[in-house]
Amino acid sequence: MSPHSPFLLPSVVASPDSLAILHLKRDLLTPTILRTHDDENVGYAEGKVTTTRYGNYPHSTLIGQPWGSQIKASRVDTGTRGRVGQQAGGSSKRKREGSSTGHGDEAAVTGDNLVGPVKDGGSPESKEVKAPIPAATGFCHLLPPTPEVWTASLPHRTQVVYTPDYSYILQRLRVTPGVEVIEAGAGSGSFTHAAARAVFNGYPNDEPSNGAGGLQDKGVDPGTGRVWSFEFHDQRAQKLQAEVQEHGLEGTVTVTHRDVYQDGFSTGGASSPTPINASAVFLDLPAPWLALRHLTRSHFSPLNPSTSVHLCTFSPCIEQVQRTVSALRNYGWLDVDMVELSAHRIECRRERVGLQEEGLRGVNATPATVDEAVGRLREVEGRDRSYHHGLTVKALNETLGAAESMDGAEDGKRQAAEEFVSKQQRLQTIKDAQASRKLYKEGKLVHRSEPELKMHTSYLVFAVLPRPWTAQDEQKAQQAIQEQIPEVSAEGSVQPMSKRQRKRAAKEIAGGDKYAEMEMKWQVDDEDE
């Protein structure tokens, strides 16, 4: 893997030992790790090959290509792979000549000396890689890994938090670069990758590319951002940890196998726990109310003591929402509300209408104008007249004799062939003309939504835990309010201030401190009541 994660700082072209996504069609994406050699020793003569239902793609045709390129499928030597598999399990296993040279290297199982010796503890080295041959059909698009395409292509281990959900969740949780996020119930890692990109604030050793000083030069520590991911299932936690390391996210994501119901949110062990200062919490748990007792302003709290903490729970049933809301209110969480999202996909396309589209796919082959409709009606009427003319000729054949009627029949057929064309001929003409047409510019650009909404996924419950309000904060607020008391007029009466004026004064007194401003506005509301 490269020192920089492709999810955070993607390169311009596809590089070896990095993750790439093969886009086959809109709802079919295949992830693969690009290799310069056949690391799994499958036996393809072209080296490492990704096989799909839309063709085979040797990695030699993918490495070095710019992201977004269209890659044609290749014809691979499947016979070599079959020989390798047979030799691996059969009695006709051959060894490469010269393998027993006393150096302790065993020959790899090969069919045509395509794989070199196996080093100690390593994979077989590629000796000769056959140049891929382009196939007649099949292609894909090479995409860089992003949380969106990874969500659509990742291996499902549990229910997945899809893009419409986690994009809204991260916005409501106010996740910005440099903050710390707690995730409980990592599952397949969809939200983990999205949160890692949201909190990423640059690598510590990287310098600004434009030469200008960063926040460190101004005496401000922006933080590098961290996602603390907790998973109860041991195997899922191990698989997610392997994916995090494979994707280069180990500097941003910390995966911990832990039961947050009983043990809370901590890492590093009981003797030396790692401090966590999270300002956002996402709970994707069957019973999130059982974990709320560990999310308080206690002495060993994982929450950031200097800011308000925003929380979101992901629950599929309304009964879970009711118990979660009740527990949130008991533990002092405020601004509790519930949201349900329904994704609605809108498709943009060009709509082509007309008789010149007859026989083509994805078009509306109906008359586009009155002239086209009248022309088609005249063609149908002419065909009917020709048919009835043939019946008349047949009747004459029966009454006048075959000699005279044959001449009339030939004249009728010749006239019908000159005036009208068959449907097969018309469709073939339209198909031949399609090659010279620019279909992407024809028609009217329209957009259509899906006929039905997506089914329900889960209910999202949001809440906010304000930062502790100390005696010093109260004294500061009271002093600021006293300074804004209006002076006594010349007549000895005090000029009253409206509610809007008092709130505006509270905003000026806070000086950008949102939490102090909120407290003073609440005090103004209490005075009016």
Side-chain angles (χ1 to χ4, degrees), residues 56-381:
N56 304 307
Y57 301 93
H59 287 200
S60 58
T61 63
L62 305 176
I63 297 175
Q65 297 294 330
W67 296 117
S69 301
Q70 185 184 87
I71 309 298
K72 293 184 178 181
S74 301
R75 296 166 52 190
V76 299
D77 186 5
T78 57
T80 303
R81 185 182 68 153
R83 288 194 296 272
V84 171
Q86 180 181 3
Q87 293 167 0
S91 59
S92 59
K93 179 178 179 180
R94 295 182 299 171
K95 293 186 178 181
R96 191 169 61 88
E97 296 180 0
S99 61
S100 57
T101 56
H103 298 288
D105 296 341
E106 296 182 358
V109 179
T110 65
D112 298 313
N113 286 338
L114 297 174
V115 183
V118 179
K119 301 298 180 181
D120 295 337
S123 59
E125 297 180 352
S126 176
K127 183 178 181 181
E128 294 180 2
V129 177
K130 181 180 178 181
I133 302 174
T137 59
F139 67 90
C140 72
H141 287 89
L142 186 64
L143 300 182
T146 63
E148 290 77 17
V149 297
W150 176 248
T151 299
S153 60
L154 58 80
H156 286 211
R157 296 184 288 268
T158 57
Q159 181 184 5
V160 176
V161 182
Y162 289 97
T163 301
D165 290 319
Y166 69 62
S167 59
Y168 181 76
I169 292 171
L170 293 174
Q171 185 268 335
R172 286 290 302 268
L173 294 181
R174 300 184 182 182
V175 177
T176 57
V179 305
E180 297 186 16
V181 178
I182 289 178
E183 176 197 15
S188 301
S190 173
F191 184 84
T192 307
H193 287 73
R197 183 183 61 180
V199 305
F200 177 69
N201 199 28
Y203 291 99
N205 297 329
D206 287 352
E207 297 180 356
S209 58
N210 55 4
L215 295 176
Q216 292 84 351
D217 299 338
K218 301 178 182 180
V220 179
D221 184 13
T224 56
R226 172 69 63 172
V227 178
W228 305 95
S229 183
F230 297 88
E231 174 57 46
F232 171 76
H233 196 272
D234 188 17
Q235 293 182 355
R236 288 198 293 264
Q238 294 178 3
K239 291 181 179 179
L240 180 59
Q241 180 63 36
E243 290 178 352
V244 166
Q245 294 179 356
E246 196 172 46
H247 300 165
L249 298 174
E250 62 273 10
T252 307
V253 179
T254 300
V255 181
T256 303
H257 172 230
R258 191 178 185 87
D259 183 6
V260 296
Y261 292 156
Q262 301 294 332
D263 304 327
F265 303 86
S266 63
T267 60
S271 58
S272 58
T274 303
I276 301 177
N277 292 318
S279 58
V281 180
F282 176 66
L283 303 180
D284 186 4
L285 302 172
W289 58 89
L290 298 179
L292 292 177
R293 61 189 181 95
H294 301 288
L295 297 174
T296 58
R297 300 289 188 181
S298 61
H299 183 61
F300 296 102
S301 175
L303 307 180
N304 193 333
S306 60
T307 62
S308 296
V309 178
H310 294 76
L311 176 139
C312 175
T313 64
F314 192 83
S315 303
C317 301
I318 195 65
E319 291 79 9
Q320 296 172 303
V321 172
Q322 294 174 348
R323 298 193 63 175
T324 302
V325 170
S326 178
L328 287 171
R329 291 172 177 171
N330 291 336
Y331 288 110
W333 293 79
L334 306 177
D335 294 341
V336 181
D337 67 336
M338 186 195 72
V339 177
E340 182 183 12
L341 299 181
S342 297
H344 202 63
R345 177 178 292 172
I346 298 177
E347 180 183 7
C348 296
R349 58 182 301 176
R350 286 193 175 272
E351 186 177 51
R352 307 198 308 272
V353 182
L355 297 179
Q356 73 277 6
E357 311 294 344
E358 186 180 7
L360 304 180
R361 298 179 58 184
V363 297
N364 187 2
T366 58
T369 61
V370 176
D371 294 338
E372 286 188 359
V374 172
R376 179 54 60 87
L377 288 175
R378 289 176 177 174
E379 181 182 350
V380 174
E381 291 176 356

Side-chain angles (χ1 to χ4, degrees), residues 403-459:
E404 297 180 0
S405 61
M406 286 299 295
D407 296 337
E410 292 296 333
D411 295 340
K413 292 180 180 180
R414 188 181 304 107
Q415 182 181 2
E418 293 176 355
E419 294 180 358
F420 308 104
V421 295
S422 64
K423 183 177 180 180
Q424 290 76 10
Q425 293 175 344
R426 185 173 64 252
L427 294 180
Q428 185 62 34
T429 303
I430 295 175
K431 185 177 180 181
D432 296 340
Q434 182 182 5
S436 60
R437 296 170 56 186
K438 296 182 179 180
L439 300 180
Y440 60 90
K441 290 185 178 181
E442 297 182 4
K444 182 180 179 182
L445 186 62
V446 297
H447 66 275
R448 294 177 179 176
S449 58
E450 291 179 320
E452 297 180 359
L453 289 174
K454 293 295 184 182
M455 298 301 293
H456 162 75
T457 55
S458 287
Y459 297 107

